[in-house]
Amino acid sequence: MTSEIALSPLLIDGEWLATDRVYENINPSDTEEQVGRFHLADAALARRAVAAATLAQPAWADQSPQLRAEVLDRAGSELLARLAELGELLAREEGKTLPEATGEVQRAAQIFKFQAQQALQAEGELYASTRAGLRVEVRHEPVGVVGIITPWNFPIAIPAWKIAPALAYGNTVVFKPAESVPASAWALVDILQRAGLPPGVLNFVPGSGREVGQTLLDDARVRAISFTGSVATGQRVAAACSARQARYQLEMGGKNPLVVLDDADLEIALDCAVQGAFYSTGQRCTASSRLIVTKGIYTKFRDALIARVAALRVGHALDPDTQIGPVVDEAQLAQDLRYIALGREEGARLAVGGELLHRRRPGHYLAPALFVDADNAMRISQEEIFGPVAVLIAADDAEHALALANDTPFGLSAGVCTGSLKLAHHFQRRLQAGMVMVNAPTAGVDHHVPFGGSKASSVGPREQGTQARQFFTQTKTSYIRP
Ligand code: ADP
Protein backbone atom coordinates (compact mmCIF):
# COMPACT_ATOMS: atom_id res chain seq x y z
CA MET A 1 0.00 0.00 0.00
CA THR A 2 2.62 2.48 1.18
CA SER A 3 5.03 1.77 -1.66
CA GLU A 4 2.35 2.64 -4.23
CA ILE A 5 2.19 6.23 -3.04
CA ALA A 6 4.54 8.44 -5.03
CA LEU A 7 6.99 10.72 -3.29
CA SER A 8 6.18 14.34 -4.05
CA PRO A 9 9.21 16.58 -4.60
CA LEU A 10 10.03 20.18 -3.69
CA LEU A 11 10.01 22.94 -6.28
CA ILE A 12 13.03 25.23 -6.50
CA ASP A 13 13.86 27.39 -9.53
CA GLY A 14 11.41 25.47 -11.69
CA GLU A 15 13.02 22.09 -10.87
CA TRP A 16 11.27 19.36 -8.93
CA LEU A 17 13.77 18.08 -6.37
CA ALA A 18 14.10 15.01 -4.17
CA THR A 19 15.80 15.07 -0.75
CA ASP A 20 16.71 12.42 1.77
CA ARG A 21 14.03 13.53 4.25
CA VAL A 22 10.52 12.20 3.84
CA TYR A 23 7.24 13.07 5.55
CA GLU A 24 4.25 10.72 5.45
CA ASN A 25 0.93 12.36 6.12
CA ILE A 26 -1.81 10.39 7.78
CA ASN A 27 -5.57 10.56 7.32
CA PRO A 28 -7.10 11.71 10.64
CA SER A 29 -10.31 9.85 9.74
CA ASP A 30 -8.34 6.62 9.41
CA THR A 31 -4.92 6.68 10.98
CA GLU A 32 -4.00 3.46 9.18
CA GLU A 33 -4.26 5.26 5.84
CA GLN A 34 -1.40 7.27 4.43
CA VAL A 35 -2.43 10.20 2.24
CA GLY A 36 0.92 10.94 0.68
CA ARG A 37 4.70 10.98 0.98
CA PHE A 38 6.65 14.19 0.63
CA HIS A 39 10.26 15.21 0.32
CA LEU A 40 11.19 17.83 2.89
CA ALA A 41 13.46 20.84 2.54
CA ASP A 42 16.12 21.88 5.03
CA ALA A 43 17.67 25.28 5.74
CA ALA A 44 20.15 25.07 2.84
CA LEU A 45 17.37 24.27 0.35
CA ALA A 46 15.22 27.05 1.76
CA ARG A 47 18.09 29.46 1.06
CA ARG A 48 18.40 28.06 -2.46
CA ALA A 49 14.72 28.72 -2.95
CA VAL A 50 15.18 32.31 -1.76
CA ALA A 51 18.10 32.75 -4.16
CA ALA A 52 15.97 31.48 -7.06
CA ALA A 53 13.08 33.77 -6.10
CA THR A 54 15.47 36.73 -5.84
CA LEU A 55 16.87 36.08 -9.31
CA ALA A 56 13.44 35.58 -10.89
CA GLN A 57 11.73 38.61 -9.34
CA PRO A 58 12.73 41.53 -11.61
CA ALA A 59 11.70 39.71 -14.80
CA TRP A 60 8.41 38.58 -13.25
CA ALA A 61 7.64 42.14 -12.21
CA ASP A 62 8.46 43.37 -15.74
CA GLN A 63 6.35 40.66 -17.31
CA SER A 64 3.14 41.70 -19.05
CA PRO A 65 0.43 41.86 -16.38
CA GLN A 66 -1.80 40.13 -18.92
CA LEU A 67 0.48 37.08 -18.71
CA ARG A 68 0.45 37.14 -14.90
CA ALA A 69 -3.35 37.36 -15.01
CA GLU A 70 -3.61 34.46 -17.44
CA VAL A 71 -1.42 32.16 -15.35
CA LEU A 72 -3.50 32.83 -12.23
CA ASP A 73 -6.75 32.46 -14.12
CA ARG A 74 -5.65 29.15 -15.64
CA ALA A 75 -4.77 27.89 -12.17
CA GLY A 76 -8.26 28.89 -10.99
CA SER A 77 -9.82 27.00 -13.91
CA GLU A 78 -7.86 23.82 -13.17
CA LEU A 79 -8.86 24.00 -9.50
CA LEU A 80 -12.50 24.22 -10.60
CA ALA A 81 -12.13 21.38 -13.09
CA ARG A 82 -10.64 19.14 -10.36
CA LEU A 83 -12.96 20.20 -7.54
CA ALA A 84 -14.16 16.72 -6.60
CA GLU A 85 -10.70 15.13 -6.68
CA LEU A 86 -8.94 17.92 -4.78
CA GLY A 87 -11.80 18.23 -2.30
CA GLU A 88 -11.41 14.53 -1.51
CA LEU A 89 -7.64 14.87 -1.12
CA LEU A 90 -8.09 17.83 1.25
CA ALA A 91 -10.75 16.01 3.29
CA ARG A 92 -8.45 12.99 3.56
CA GLU A 93 -5.46 14.94 4.78
CA GLU A 94 -7.15 17.53 7.04
CA GLY A 95 -10.30 15.74 8.16
CA LYS A 96 -12.93 18.33 7.27
CA THR A 97 -16.02 16.90 5.58
CA LEU A 98 -16.21 16.48 1.83
CA PRO A 99 -18.63 19.41 1.29
CA GLU A 100 -16.43 21.65 3.46
CA ALA A 101 -13.29 20.56 1.64
CA THR A 102 -14.81 20.93 -1.82
CA GLY A 103 -16.07 24.37 -0.81
CA GLU A 104 -12.55 25.29 0.24
CA VAL A 105 -11.09 24.25 -3.13
CA GLN A 106 -13.80 26.22 -4.90
CA ARG A 107 -12.93 29.24 -2.83
CA ALA A 108 -9.26 28.87 -3.77
CA ALA A 109 -10.31 28.85 -7.43
CA GLN A 110 -12.41 32.00 -6.96
CA ILE A 111 -9.47 33.70 -5.27
CA PHE A 112 -7.16 32.98 -8.20
CA LYS A 113 -9.73 34.24 -10.69
CA PHE A 114 -10.37 37.40 -8.67
CA GLN A 115 -6.70 38.17 -8.02
CA ALA A 116 -5.90 37.47 -11.69
CA GLN A 117 -7.97 40.53 -12.53
CA GLN A 118 -6.11 42.60 -9.95
CA ALA A 119 -2.93 42.22 -12.01
CA LEU A 120 -4.63 44.42 -14.62
CA GLN A 121 -5.94 47.17 -12.35
CA ALA A 122 -4.45 50.68 -12.24
CA GLU A 123 -0.95 50.60 -10.76
CA GLY A 124 -1.21 53.96 -9.08
CA GLU A 125 -2.45 57.52 -9.17
CA LEU A 126 -1.43 60.77 -10.81
CA TYR A 127 -1.51 64.09 -8.95
CA ALA A 128 -0.75 67.67 -9.80
CA SER A 129 2.15 68.96 -7.75
CA THR A 130 1.88 71.99 -5.49
CA ARG A 131 4.88 73.22 -7.47
CA ALA A 132 4.25 74.54 -10.96
CA GLY A 133 5.65 72.43 -13.78
CA LEU A 134 5.91 69.24 -11.73
CA ARG A 135 3.56 66.30 -11.65
CA VAL A 136 3.41 63.55 -9.06
CA GLU A 137 3.08 59.88 -9.84
CA VAL A 138 2.25 57.39 -7.08
CA ARG A 139 3.01 53.81 -8.07
CA HIS A 140 2.37 50.56 -6.23
CA GLU A 141 5.34 48.36 -6.98
CA PRO A 142 6.12 44.78 -5.97
CA VAL A 143 7.84 44.27 -2.63
CA GLY A 144 10.25 41.63 -3.95
CA VAL A 145 10.59 38.12 -2.55
CA VAL A 146 7.73 37.13 -0.24
CA GLY A 147 7.87 34.26 2.26
CA ILE A 148 4.49 32.59 2.76
CA ILE A 149 4.01 30.45 5.88
CA THR A 150 0.65 28.78 6.36
CA PRO A 151 -1.22 26.67 8.95
CA TRP A 152 -2.94 23.31 8.57
CA ASN A 153 -6.62 24.22 8.98
CA PHE A 154 -7.22 25.60 5.45
CA PRO A 155 -4.58 23.71 3.47
CA ILE A 156 -5.51 25.20 0.09
CA ALA A 157 -7.52 28.39 0.72
CA ILE A 158 -4.97 30.15 2.93
CA PRO A 159 -2.03 29.43 0.59
CA ALA A 160 -4.27 30.62 -2.28
CA TRP A 161 -5.21 33.90 -0.63
CA LYS A 162 -1.57 34.73 0.00
CA ILE A 163 0.07 33.34 -3.16
CA ALA A 164 -2.48 34.75 -5.64
CA PRO A 165 -2.08 38.46 -4.75
CA ALA A 166 1.68 38.06 -4.16
CA LEU A 167 2.11 36.82 -7.75
CA ALA A 168 -0.50 39.13 -9.27
CA TYR A 169 1.40 42.20 -8.09
CA GLY A 170 4.77 40.98 -9.42
CA ASN A 171 6.39 39.45 -6.34
CA THR A 172 8.07 36.06 -6.30
CA VAL A 173 7.28 33.54 -3.59
CA VAL A 174 8.88 30.97 -1.32
CA PHE A 175 6.03 28.93 0.13
CA LYS A 176 6.28 26.80 3.27
CA PRO A 177 3.06 24.95 4.11
CA ALA A 178 2.19 23.51 7.52
CA GLU A 179 3.96 20.25 8.25
CA SER A 180 0.83 18.08 8.43
CA VAL A 181 -0.94 19.13 5.20
CA PRO A 182 1.54 19.06 2.31
CA ALA A 183 -0.71 17.22 -0.15
CA SER A 184 -3.13 20.06 -0.95
CA ALA A 185 -0.23 22.52 -0.95
CA TRP A 186 1.71 20.35 -3.38
CA ALA A 187 -1.29 20.01 -5.68
CA LEU A 188 -1.71 23.79 -5.74
CA VAL A 189 1.96 24.40 -6.54
CA ASP A 190 1.88 21.79 -9.30
CA ILE A 191 -1.18 23.46 -10.83
CA LEU A 192 0.41 26.91 -10.72
CA GLN A 193 3.66 25.68 -12.19
CA ARG A 194 1.92 23.97 -15.10
CA ALA A 195 -0.24 27.06 -15.60
CA GLY A 196 2.91 28.74 -16.89
CA LEU A 197 4.97 30.29 -14.10
CA PRO A 198 8.57 30.95 -15.13
CA PRO A 199 11.26 29.14 -13.05
CA GLY A 200 11.88 30.61 -9.60
CA VAL A 201 8.66 32.66 -9.42
CA LEU A 202 7.04 30.16 -7.04
CA ASN A 203 9.20 27.88 -4.90
CA PHE A 204 7.84 25.17 -2.64
CA VAL A 205 9.78 24.14 0.47
CA PRO A 206 7.76 21.97 2.84
CA GLY A 207 9.61 21.36 6.09
CA SER A 208 9.67 22.16 9.74
CA GLY A 209 8.70 25.59 11.01
CA ARG A 210 11.70 25.80 13.24
CA GLU A 211 14.16 25.09 10.43
CA VAL A 212 12.68 26.02 7.05
CA GLY A 213 10.23 28.64 8.38
CA GLN A 214 12.83 30.30 10.56
CA THR A 215 15.31 30.37 7.64
CA LEU A 216 12.81 32.39 5.64
CA LEU A 217 12.27 34.77 8.57
CA ASP A 218 16.00 35.37 8.94
CA ASP A 219 16.99 35.73 5.27
CA ALA A 220 17.54 39.38 4.38
CA ARG A 221 16.51 38.74 0.75
CA VAL A 222 12.96 37.89 1.86
CA ARG A 223 11.38 41.35 1.98
CA ALA A 224 7.99 40.35 3.37
CA ILE A 225 6.47 37.49 5.33
CA SER A 226 2.77 36.69 5.21
CA PHE A 227 1.95 34.35 8.07
CA THR A 228 -1.13 32.63 9.46
CA GLY A 229 -0.79 30.48 12.58
CA SER A 230 -0.40 30.64 16.32
CA VAL A 231 0.24 33.74 18.41
CA ALA A 232 3.56 32.33 19.64
CA THR A 233 4.90 31.80 16.12
CA GLY A 234 3.45 35.13 14.99
CA GLN A 235 5.50 36.83 17.67
CA ARG A 236 8.62 35.12 16.31
CA VAL A 237 7.77 36.32 12.82
CA ALA A 238 7.33 39.87 14.10
CA ALA A 239 10.59 39.81 16.07
CA ALA A 240 12.66 38.39 13.20
CA CYS A 241 11.17 40.71 10.58
CA SER A 242 11.40 43.88 12.64
CA ALA A 243 15.03 43.07 13.49
CA ARG A 244 15.85 43.33 9.78
CA GLN A 245 13.16 45.84 8.73
CA ALA A 246 11.16 43.41 6.60
CA ARG A 247 7.41 43.84 6.41
CA TYR A 248 5.09 41.28 7.93
CA GLN A 249 1.44 40.39 7.99
CA LEU A 250 0.15 38.18 10.79
CA GLU A 251 -3.18 36.40 11.13
CA MET A 252 -3.31 34.60 14.45
CA GLY A 253 -5.81 33.44 16.99
CA GLY A 254 -9.37 34.22 17.88
CA LYS A 255 -11.77 33.65 20.76
CA ASN A 256 -14.73 34.82 18.79
CA PRO A 257 -17.95 35.73 20.58
CA LEU A 258 -21.41 35.05 19.24
CA VAL A 259 -23.86 37.18 21.23
CA VAL A 260 -27.47 36.04 21.33
CA LEU A 261 -29.87 38.71 22.58
CA ASP A 262 -33.33 38.19 24.06
CA ASP A 263 -35.10 39.23 20.87
CA ALA A 264 -33.10 36.91 18.58
CA ASP A 265 -34.80 34.44 16.27
CA LEU A 266 -34.06 31.23 18.18
CA GLU A 267 -33.63 29.00 15.11
CA ILE A 268 -31.27 31.44 13.40
CA ALA A 269 -29.26 31.83 16.62
CA LEU A 270 -29.00 28.04 17.07
CA ASP A 271 -27.90 27.58 13.46
CA CYS A 272 -25.25 30.29 13.87
CA ALA A 273 -23.98 28.74 17.10
CA VAL A 274 -23.81 25.16 15.86
CA GLN A 275 -22.33 26.13 12.51
CA GLY A 276 -19.88 28.66 13.90
CA ALA A 277 -18.71 26.67 16.90
CA PHE A 278 -18.54 23.10 15.65
CA TYR A 279 -18.40 22.84 11.87
CA SER A 280 -14.95 22.21 10.43
CA THR A 281 -14.46 20.52 13.82
CA GLY A 282 -14.13 23.98 15.42
CA GLN A 283 -10.72 24.26 13.75
CA ARG A 284 -11.21 27.73 12.31
CA CYS A 285 -9.66 30.90 13.63
CA THR A 286 -13.12 32.48 13.17
CA ALA A 287 -14.97 29.74 15.14
CA SER A 288 -17.59 30.94 17.66
CA SER A 289 -15.87 29.55 20.73
CA ARG A 290 -17.76 31.86 23.15
CA LEU A 291 -21.55 31.91 23.05
CA ILE A 292 -22.78 34.84 25.14
CA VAL A 293 -26.51 34.80 25.76
CA THR A 294 -28.73 37.30 27.60
CA LYS A 295 -30.77 35.94 30.45
CA GLY A 296 -34.25 36.29 28.91
CA ILE A 297 -33.43 33.63 26.30
CA TYR A 298 -30.58 31.81 28.07
CA THR A 299 -32.38 28.71 29.37
CA LYS A 300 -34.39 28.15 26.20
CA PHE A 301 -31.29 28.63 24.04
CA ARG A 302 -29.09 26.45 26.27
CA ASP A 303 -31.47 23.50 26.33
CA ALA A 304 -32.12 23.64 22.59
CA LEU A 305 -28.40 23.97 21.88
CA ILE A 306 -27.51 20.97 24.05
CA ALA A 307 -29.99 18.89 22.05
CA ARG A 308 -28.59 20.17 18.73
CA VAL A 309 -24.98 19.46 19.75
CA ALA A 310 -25.83 15.99 21.04
CA ALA A 311 -27.40 15.18 17.66
CA LEU A 312 -24.35 16.16 15.57
CA ARG A 313 -23.01 13.24 13.54
CA VAL A 314 -19.26 12.82 13.99
CA GLY A 315 -17.49 10.54 11.56
CA HIS A 316 -15.16 9.85 8.67
CA ALA A 317 -14.64 12.96 6.55
CA LEU A 318 -15.69 11.14 3.36
CA ASP A 319 -18.85 9.60 4.82
CA PRO A 320 -21.83 11.49 3.33
CA ASP A 321 -23.66 11.35 6.70
CA THR A 322 -20.85 13.07 8.59
CA GLN A 323 -21.42 16.61 9.84
CA ILE A 324 -18.28 16.90 11.97
CA GLY A 325 -14.99 15.32 10.88
CA PRO A 326 -12.18 14.16 13.15
CA VAL A 327 -9.66 16.37 14.94
CA VAL A 328 -6.64 16.94 12.69
CA ASP A 329 -3.98 15.02 14.64
CA GLU A 330 -2.91 13.58 17.97
CA ALA A 331 -1.31 16.78 19.24
CA GLN A 332 -4.45 18.85 18.60
CA LEU A 333 -6.64 16.13 20.13
CA ALA A 334 -4.46 16.14 23.26
CA GLN A 335 -4.84 19.92 23.46
CA ASP A 336 -8.64 19.69 23.13
CA LEU A 337 -8.78 17.06 25.88
CA ARG A 338 -6.54 19.14 28.15
CA TYR A 339 -8.90 22.10 27.84
CA ILE A 340 -11.95 19.92 28.42
CA ALA A 341 -10.37 18.68 31.67
CA LEU A 342 -9.41 22.25 32.58
CA GLY A 343 -12.97 23.50 32.01
CA ARG A 344 -14.25 20.95 34.49
CA GLU A 345 -11.59 21.95 37.03
CA GLU A 346 -12.53 25.59 36.57
CA GLY A 347 -16.15 24.78 37.44
CA ALA A 348 -17.90 25.08 34.08
CA ARG A 349 -20.50 22.38 33.47
CA LEU A 350 -19.80 20.07 30.53
CA ALA A 351 -23.39 19.63 29.34
CA VAL A 352 -22.66 17.45 26.32
CA GLY A 353 -19.77 15.79 24.48
CA GLY A 354 -16.09 15.87 25.21
CA GLU A 355 -15.51 12.12 24.99
CA LEU A 356 -13.50 10.17 22.44
CA LEU A 357 -15.61 8.30 19.92
CA HIS A 358 -14.94 5.02 18.17
CA ARG A 359 -15.84 4.66 14.54
CA ARG A 360 -15.43 1.96 11.90
CA ARG A 361 -11.88 3.10 11.18
CA PRO A 362 -9.40 4.30 13.83
CA GLY A 363 -9.33 8.12 13.85
CA HIS A 364 -9.16 11.21 16.07
CA TYR A 365 -12.88 11.38 16.81
CA LEU A 366 -14.08 13.71 19.54
CA ALA A 367 -17.70 14.37 20.50
CA PRO A 368 -18.36 18.14 20.16
CA ALA A 369 -18.17 19.58 23.67
CA LEU A 370 -20.35 22.33 25.11
CA PHE A 371 -19.62 23.89 28.47
CA VAL A 372 -22.58 25.80 29.94
CA ASP A 373 -22.87 28.22 32.85
CA ALA A 374 -19.27 29.24 32.22
CA ASP A 375 -17.58 32.46 33.25
CA ASN A 376 -15.79 34.69 30.77
CA ALA A 377 -12.75 34.91 33.05
CA MET A 378 -12.10 31.15 32.90
CA ARG A 379 -9.15 30.02 30.83
CA ILE A 380 -11.49 27.98 28.59
CA SER A 381 -13.21 31.31 27.80
CA GLN A 382 -10.01 33.27 27.24
CA GLU A 383 -7.58 30.93 25.45
CA GLU A 384 -7.96 29.61 21.93
CA ILE A 385 -8.60 25.84 22.02
CA PHE A 386 -8.97 25.29 18.25
CA GLY A 387 -11.24 22.29 18.51
CA PRO A 388 -14.92 21.35 18.75
CA VAL A 389 -15.27 22.94 22.18
CA ALA A 390 -17.48 25.95 22.99
CA VAL A 391 -18.50 27.74 26.17
CA LEU A 392 -21.91 29.21 26.94
CA ILE A 393 -21.88 32.31 29.13
CA ALA A 394 -24.93 34.10 30.56
CA ALA A 395 -25.16 37.90 30.36
CA ASP A 396 -27.50 40.20 32.31
CA ASP A 397 -28.50 42.34 29.33
CA ALA A 398 -27.27 43.58 25.95
CA GLU A 399 -24.67 45.97 27.38
CA HIS A 400 -23.28 43.29 29.67
CA ALA A 401 -23.12 40.89 26.70
CA LEU A 402 -21.23 43.49 24.69
CA ALA A 403 -18.74 44.03 27.52
CA LEU A 404 -18.17 40.28 27.85
CA ALA A 405 -17.78 39.90 24.09
CA ASN A 406 -15.04 42.52 24.08
CA ASP A 407 -13.33 41.17 27.19
CA THR A 408 -10.73 39.15 25.29
CA PRO A 409 -7.24 39.81 23.98
CA PHE A 410 -8.43 38.75 20.51
CA GLY A 411 -10.54 40.53 17.91
CA LEU A 412 -10.91 38.49 14.75
CA SER A 413 -14.62 37.89 14.22
CA ALA A 414 -17.68 38.62 16.37
CA GLY A 415 -21.37 37.95 15.87
CA VAL A 416 -24.69 39.13 17.22
CA CYS A 417 -28.12 37.58 16.80
CA THR A 418 -30.94 40.06 17.31
CA GLY A 419 -34.21 41.14 15.71
CA SER A 420 -33.54 44.77 16.49
CA LEU A 421 -31.97 46.99 13.84
CA LYS A 422 -30.94 49.45 16.53
CA LEU A 423 -29.11 46.84 18.59
CA ALA A 424 -27.58 45.31 15.48
CA HIS A 425 -26.10 48.69 14.54
CA HIS A 426 -24.95 49.30 18.09
CA PHE A 427 -23.10 45.95 18.20
CA GLN A 428 -21.74 46.43 14.70
CA ARG A 429 -20.10 49.66 15.86
CA ARG A 430 -18.97 48.55 19.30
CA LEU A 431 -17.78 44.97 18.83
CA GLN A 432 -13.99 45.02 18.86
CA ALA A 433 -13.31 42.77 15.91
CA GLY A 434 -12.09 42.97 12.33
CA MET A 435 -15.22 41.20 11.10
CA VAL A 436 -18.76 41.50 12.49
CA MET A 437 -21.62 39.17 11.61
CA VAL A 438 -25.27 40.06 12.24
CA ASN A 439 -27.56 37.01 12.36
CA ALA A 440 -24.81 35.04 10.60
CA PRO A 441 -22.11 32.66 11.90
CA THR A 442 -18.76 34.18 12.94
CA ALA A 443 -17.01 31.76 10.57
CA GLY A 444 -17.54 31.77 6.81
CA VAL A 445 -16.31 34.77 4.85
CA ASP A 446 -16.23 35.96 1.23
CA HIS A 447 -13.06 36.00 -0.84
CA HIS A 448 -13.49 39.44 -2.42
CA VAL A 449 -13.63 41.59 0.72
CA PRO A 450 -11.05 42.31 3.45
CA PHE A 451 -10.28 39.56 5.97
CA GLY A 452 -8.49 40.18 9.25
CA GLY A 453 -8.78 41.10 12.90
CA SER A 454 -8.13 43.73 15.50
CA LYS A 455 -6.30 43.53 18.87
CA ALA A 456 -4.06 40.44 19.24
CA SER A 457 -5.59 38.61 16.28
CA SER A 458 -3.87 40.36 13.41
CA VAL A 459 -0.98 42.65 12.60
CA GLY A 460 -0.54 44.43 9.29
CA PRO A 461 -2.80 45.18 6.36
CA ARG A 462 -5.89 43.10 5.64
CA GLU A 463 -5.82 40.03 3.44
CA GLN A 464 -8.00 39.22 0.40
CA GLY A 465 -10.05 41.30 -1.96
CA THR A 466 -8.59 44.49 -3.36
CA GLN A 467 -7.02 45.37 0.01
CA ALA A 468 -4.50 42.55 -0.42
CA ARG A 469 -2.60 45.07 -2.53
CA GLN A 470 -1.56 47.03 0.55
CA PHE A 471 0.70 44.28 1.82
CA PHE A 472 1.96 42.91 -1.47
CA THR A 473 2.99 46.25 -2.97
CA GLN A 474 5.09 49.14 -1.80
CA THR A 475 4.40 52.71 -2.75
CA LYS A 476 6.78 54.86 -4.74
CA THR A 477 6.09 58.59 -5.13
CA SER A 478 7.82 60.20 -8.10
CA TYR A 479 8.04 63.97 -8.80
CA ILE A 480 8.48 64.51 -12.50
CA ARG A 481 9.31 67.64 -14.46
CA PRO A 482 8.51 66.66 -18.06
P1 ADP B 1 -0.62 26.00 14.31
O1 ADP B 1 -1.01 25.94 15.73
O2 ADP B 1 -1.65 26.50 13.38
O3 ADP B 1 0.09 24.78 13.85
P2 ADP B 1 1.97 27.28 14.20
O4 ADP B 1 2.23 28.73 14.46
O5 ADP B 1 2.66 26.28 15.00
O6 ADP B 1 0.41 27.19 14.30
O7 ADP B 1 2.24 26.96 12.68
C1 ADP B 1 1.89 27.79 11.60
C2 ADP B 1 2.99 27.76 10.56
O8 ADP B 1 4.15 28.37 11.15
C3 ADP B 1 3.40 26.35 10.14
O9 ADP B 1 3.70 26.35 8.76
C4 ADP B 1 4.65 26.12 10.96
O10 ADP B 1 5.53 25.20 10.39
C5 ADP B 1 5.26 27.51 10.95
N1 ADP B 1 6.26 27.76 12.01
C6 ADP B 1 6.35 27.19 13.22
N2 ADP B 1 7.42 27.65 13.90
C7 ADP B 1 8.06 28.54 13.09
C8 ADP B 1 9.21 29.38 13.20
N3 ADP B 1 9.98 29.38 14.27
N4 ADP B 1 9.52 30.17 12.16
C9 ADP B 1 8.76 30.19 11.06
N5 ADP B 1 7.67 29.44 10.88
C10 ADP B 1 7.30 28.61 11.88
Side-chain angles (χ1 to χ4, degrees), residues 148-153 176-180 207-217 227-234 236-237 332 335 384 386:
I148 287 177
I149 300 178
T150 54
W152 49 261
N153 64 330
K176 193 208 87 68
E179 287 87 331
S180 58
S208 89
R210 199 167 297 185
E211 185 177 354
V212 175
Q214 190 70 41
T215 301
L216 300 182
L217 303 188
F227 166 83
T228 300
S230 65
V231 174
T233 309
R236 281 173 177 273
V237 175
Q332 183 60 50
Q335 173 162 314
E384 187 177 47
F386 221 66

Side-chain angles (χ1 to χ4, degrees), residues 210-415:
R210 199 167 297 185
E211 185 177 354
V212 175
Q214 190 70 41
T215 301
L216 300 182
L217 303 188
D218 292 336
D219 193 314
R221 295 168 295 183
V222 179
R223 296 313 307 148
I225 297 278
S226 181
F227 166 83
T228 300
S230 65
V231 174
T233 309
Q235 285 169 345
R236 281 173 177 273
V237 175
C241 289
S242 56
R244 59 181 185 81
Q245 289 82 46
R247 64 170 63 189
Y248 52 94
Q249 174 181 54
L250 313 176
E251 293 296 347
M252 300 171 288
K255 195 72 188 177
N256 310 290
L258 173 71
V259 173
V260 179
L261 299 178
D262 285 353
D263 68 352
D265 179 306
L266 185 65
E267 285 308 309
I268 290 177
L270 287 166
D271 286 346
C272 290
V274 171
Q275 218 286 343
F278 300 110
Y279 274 65
S280 296
T281 322
Q283 297 174 153
R284 295 184 284 195
C285 45
T286 48
S288 317
S289 43
R290 291 185 300 142
L291 308 170
I292 299 169
V293 182
T294 47
K295 65 179 181 222
I297 196 175
Y298 183 83
T299 307
K300 199 157 51 158
F301 181 83
R302 180 192 62 195
D303 295 348
L305 183 62
I306 292 170
R308 293 276 293 259
V309 175
L312 286 170
R313 294 185 301 273
V314 179
H316 194 296
L318 300 183
D319 183 338
D321 283 337
T322 296
Q323 292 172 297
I324 309 291
V327 172
V328 70
D329 60 20
E330 256 169 56
Q332 183 60 50
L333 183 63
Q335 173 162 314
D336 296 347
L337 293 172
R338 268 200 308 279
Y339 274 107
I340 289 166
L342 176 67
R344 286 185 156 130
E345 283 166 31
E346 289 183 300
R349 182 162 75 82
L350 182 61
V352 57
E355 70 277 6
L356 293 177
L357 299 172
H358 295 283
R359 293 293 178 260
R360 206 164 34 83
R361 304 297 308 161
H364 306 302
Y365 297 109
L366 177 63
L370 177 68
F371 282 101
V372 300
D373 310 335
D375 187 302
N376 195 56
M378 290 173 177
R379 281 181 58 197
I380 53 163
S381 306
Q382 288 291 315
E383 297 173 18
E384 187 177 47
I385 301 172
F386 221 66
V389 185
V391 298
L392 186 66
I393 300 166
D396 297 335
D397 54 24
E399 278 314 304
H400 185 215
L402 180 61
L404 290 172
N406 288 336
D407 183 12
T408 166
F410 296 111
L412 189 57
S413 181

